[in-house]
Amino acid sequence: MARLTGDTAAASPPATARERERPMRFRSTRPETSIDPAPAVPDLMRAAVFDAPGAADALHVAEVPVPAPVLSEVLVRVVAAGINPIDAKTRSGRGMSGAIDAWPAVLGLDVSGVVVRAPFDAHPFPVGTEVYGMAAVPRTPGGYAEYAVVPTLSLARKPASLSYVEAAGVPVAALTAWGLVVETALAHQGQRILVHAGSGGVGHFAVQFAAYFGAHVIATGSPRNLDWLRELGAAEVVDYTSTRFEDVVSDVDVVIDLIGNVADDTGTRSLEVLRPGGLLIEVPTGAWPGFREAASARGIRSTDYKTIPDGAALATIGRLLDSGAVRVFVDRVFDLDDAAAAHVELERGHTRGKIVLRVSDD
């Protein structure tokens, strides 16, 4: 084959007029979804706040300043906000409460809404973009408010097939499940994964992700959720109210423990069903302080886990949701004024999927 030389290249025919006029391939600096002028943003907003750690009734609605985004943060007009167990723990003085440095405080990691302020014109999420993601609570006020600032890297475009309420039930639970199943357990064909509390917020995503990637999924749940867990992709289900899971399950590669030892020593009993060299992923903080030592004594690997607010992973999850391969289930929806009642419901336990706050109109 002849080698291309400098002389040969110089002898190449000149570009045609059509080639010279071919448009350059870069994104416009004025995205089509941008809104000009940007919508007005008030100085004050309604928010469900608490003035000090306490019971659910510590939450009340008040007017507080709208937070100001800095650097790469965007300001989102919140339509809906998901409620997570970490919210209730923080409100009660546990969880992330130690990082709260100003009162009143606004909870709510999960955010779904519309961008009203973006850092620059060609930003990936220009003004007017429908988004969902995770606020940096408690470093900044959360989603239990009409506006929230969210880091760019914690956002993704809202799945087109989901309502704002449905989308608000996704970020924390789905990103946690994604980290557990895909990034830590490395779910794959033929792997046996046991998911405790498979019908909860994180659990119902963990079951679906594990099944999607080919694992043989075993899920524990209450009688009312067993058929639903099968619909989500569980190959085996165990009614924890009537059956000791260690009596019917064995040779498991990974246990995703969303309960710990706070209920019937679920964590300790999980060691009995793991194969030697299997992996125990212990999720609830403080639910079983000695899990590492107990697992090591049995020749079992172990780790805890904390959610990573990864917008790129959330975008991938959004595509799975839009395709129908994965779905989110919202158990109950409360208005912002009823945030305290929403926390009471959450703390009763046994929620199927997620509880969501409707903050404002679409």
Side-chain angles (χ1 to χ4, degrees):
M1 179 181 294
R3 180 182 300 174
L4 181 65
T5 66
D7 292 343
T8 304
S12 299
T16 65
R18 183 171 183 175
E19 289 173 332
R20 288 195 300 270
E21 294 173 0
R22 186 171 54 198
M24 298 179 68
R25 294 180 180 177
F26 58 81
R27 185 173 54 214
S28 167
T29 57
R30 298 296 297 172
E32 293 180 3
T33 54
S34 65
I35 294 178
D36 191 16
V41 175
D43 295 327
L44 298 175
M45 64 180 182
R46 295 179 74 248
V49 306
F50 65 117
D51 303 312
D57 60 7
L59 289 170
H60 62 280
V61 173
E63 282 200 336
V64 297
V66 172
V70 298
L71 299 175
S72 65
E73 292 175 338
V74 302
L75 184 64
V76 176
R77 180 178 67 80
V78 180
V79 176
I83 292 183
N84 295 284
I86 189 63
D87 298 349
K89 290 179 181 179
T90 301
R91 185 217 69 229
S92 68
R94 298 173 293 141
M96 302 181 294
S97 62
I100 297 174
D101 59 7
W103 301 94
V106 183
L107 295 169
L109 290 163
D110 284 332
V111 171
S112 173
V114 182
V115 174
V116 292
R117 291 288 184 272
F120 50 91
D121 289 343
H123 189 266
F125 308 113
V127 172
T129 306
E130 298 180 343
V131 293
Y132 71 152
M134 287 180 60
V137 177
R139 306 297 185 190
T140 59
Y144 292 12
E146 293 176 317
Y147 295 89
V149 294
V150 185
T152 292
L153 295 181
S154 301
L155 273 181
R157 290 176 181 267
K158 182 181 75 66
S161 63
L162 300 188
S163 67
Y164 287 106
V165 165
E166 291 168 328
V170 174
V172 170
L175 284 171
T176 303
W178 185 266
L180 295 170
V181 172
V182 181
E183 298 173 353
T184 306
L186 305 177
H188 57 269
Q189 188 76 35
Q191 190 181 38
R192 290 171 58 81
I193 297 180
L194 170 61
V195 180
H196 287 308
S199 59
V202 174
H204 86 294
F205 280 116
V207 168
Q208 293 178 85
F209 290 151
Y212 179 83
F213 284 99
H216 179 95
V217 182
I218 308 160
T220 62
S222 63
R224 81 179 185 102
N225 289 320
L226 299 184
D227 287 340
W228 185 60
L229 287 168
R230 292 187 183 96
E231 292 176 13
L232 294 179
E236 299 179 47
V237 294
V238 179
D239 175 3
Y240 70 83
T241 67
S242 64
T243 304
R244 306 286 285 183
F245 64 84
E246 65 270 29
D247 292 340
V248 295
V249 177
S250 62
D251 197 32
V252 170
D253 296 294
V254 180
V255 170
I256 295 175
D257 182 12
L258 299 168
I259 299 175
N261 273 358
V262 296
D264 201 17
D265 291 333
T266 299
T268 299
R269 291 161 52 211
S270 295
L271 299 179
E272 300 180 29
V273 306
L274 278 159
R275 64 168 176 80
L279 175 63
L280 170 70
I281 309 177
E282 191 64 23
V283 182
T285 301
W288 182 16
F291 77 90
R292 293 179 181 84
E293 295 77 11
S296 178
R298 299 284 291 265
I300 291 168
R301 296 173 297 139
S302 66
T303 183
D304 54 356
Y305 185 79
K306 297 291 184 294
T307 309
I308 299 174
D310 183 350
L314 193 57
T316 299
I317 292 166
R319 290 191 287 274
L320 291 175
L321 288 160
D322 274 338
S323 74
V326 173
R327 53 191 168 123
V328 59
F329 184 84
V330 175
D331 197 354
R332 293 194 62 182
V333 181
F334 291 82
D335 290 334
L336 182 65
D337 290 326
D338 299 320
H343 272 225
V344 169
E345 180 66 21
L346 177 73
E347 291 178 305
R348 285 197 182 108
H350 307 295
T351 297
R352 176 187 282 190
K354 292 297 299 288
I355 296 174
V356 173
L357 279 183
R358 175 172 285 281
V359 177
S360 60
D361 295 332
D362 294 1

